[in-house]
Amino acid sequence: MPHASALLVIDMQNTLVAIAHRPAETVATIAGLRERAKAAGVPIVTIQHRGEGLEAGTEGWRIVPELAPAADEEVVHKTSADSFLDTGLDKTLTALGVTEVVVTGFATEICVDTTARQALSHRYDLVLVADGHTTSVRPDVGEYAAPDRSIAHHNEIFRHIDFPGRSIRVLPASEVDFAVLP
């Protein structure tokens, strides 16, 4: 099967972006990737969480306007951190002929991490966009790692994770070239 990428935009919804660390920068980074993916003919799959506080059809549930999917783009609805669990994501990617996912979105240590690992288990190659995922704002003290540390930590884990037969790369958005992804 020839190599083909898809850009995944995970949970960039109004309620979640409102509590995100560096929301403007993350939205701008993903918006730039969306433009480049469209220009290269790379499919964009928007993943939208539904649950308590994110009830379907509410303003908080909607994707932020800068990243709203076009009518011809795929949207996958989920109810857990795993974008593959009980959704049509794998079927959608297979139908599009995708062999590699380029992962962006919210929240680094929950939905982004879980979906990235599940993509590998579903036999997709992976590009984690180092500056294209974020987490919630939180104090620097407490049980959770500070946002910048959590993002850096997950980027580093994915630089060293071993998944036999899978290509795994962590790249800044500026180095993602949809025209030449292997």
Side-chain angles (χ1 to χ4, degrees):
M1 176 183 287
H3 178 77
S5 297
L7 176 63
L8 301 186
V9 179
I10 302 169
D11 296 351
M12 293 301 288
Q13 296 163 253
N14 289 322
T15 292
L16 301 175
V17 172
I19 63 167
H21 171 66
R22 51 181 192 83
E25 296 89 337
T26 306
V27 168
T29 295
I30 297 171
L33 283 167
R34 282 179 49 80
E35 289 175 23
R36 292 175 22 223
K38 282 183 183 184
V42 169
I44 301 164
V45 180
T46 299
I47 299 166
Q48 191 170 26
H49 193 84
R50 181 175 33 106
E52 187 176 334
L54 292 170
E55 288 80 14
T58 63
E59 191 58 32
W61 172 79
R62 296 188 203 298
I63 303 298
V64 296
E66 302 90 335
L67 303 176
D72 63 341
E73 293 175 10
E74 299 290 336
V75 177
V76 171
H77 297 99
K78 68 180 183 66
T79 57
S80 76
D82 179 354
S83 298
F84 287 90
L85 181 65
D86 297 329
T87 73
L89 180 57
D90 191 42
K91 184 177 178 181
T92 296
L93 295 173
T94 299
L96 292 168
V98 171
T99 60
E100 175 176 74
V101 292
V102 178
V103 175
T104 66
F106 182 91
T108 296
E109 60 281 279
I110 304 171
C111 299
V112 170
D113 177 83
T114 303
T115 298
R117 289 174 192 260
Q118 286 302 315
L120 292 166
S121 289
H122 282 82
R123 304 201 184 293
Y124 294 98
D125 291 333
L126 172 70
V127 173
L128 178 63
V129 182
D131 52 347
H133 62 95
T134 192
T135 191
S136 57
V137 172
R138 56 182 84 123
D140 287 339
V141 296
E143 297 298 317
Y144 285 109
D148 283 328
R149 285 188 44 230
S150 181
I151 293 164
H153 173 82
H154 280 78
N155 286 341
E156 197 61 21
I157 284 173
F158 278 95
R159 283 185 184 100
H160 298 283
I161 199 168
D162 184 25
F163 242 88
R166 302 277 56 89
S167 168
I168 304 168
R169 295 176 294 149
V170 179
L171 300 173
S174 63
E175 292 181 20
V176 174
D177 185 351
F178 291 107
V180 298
L181 284 174

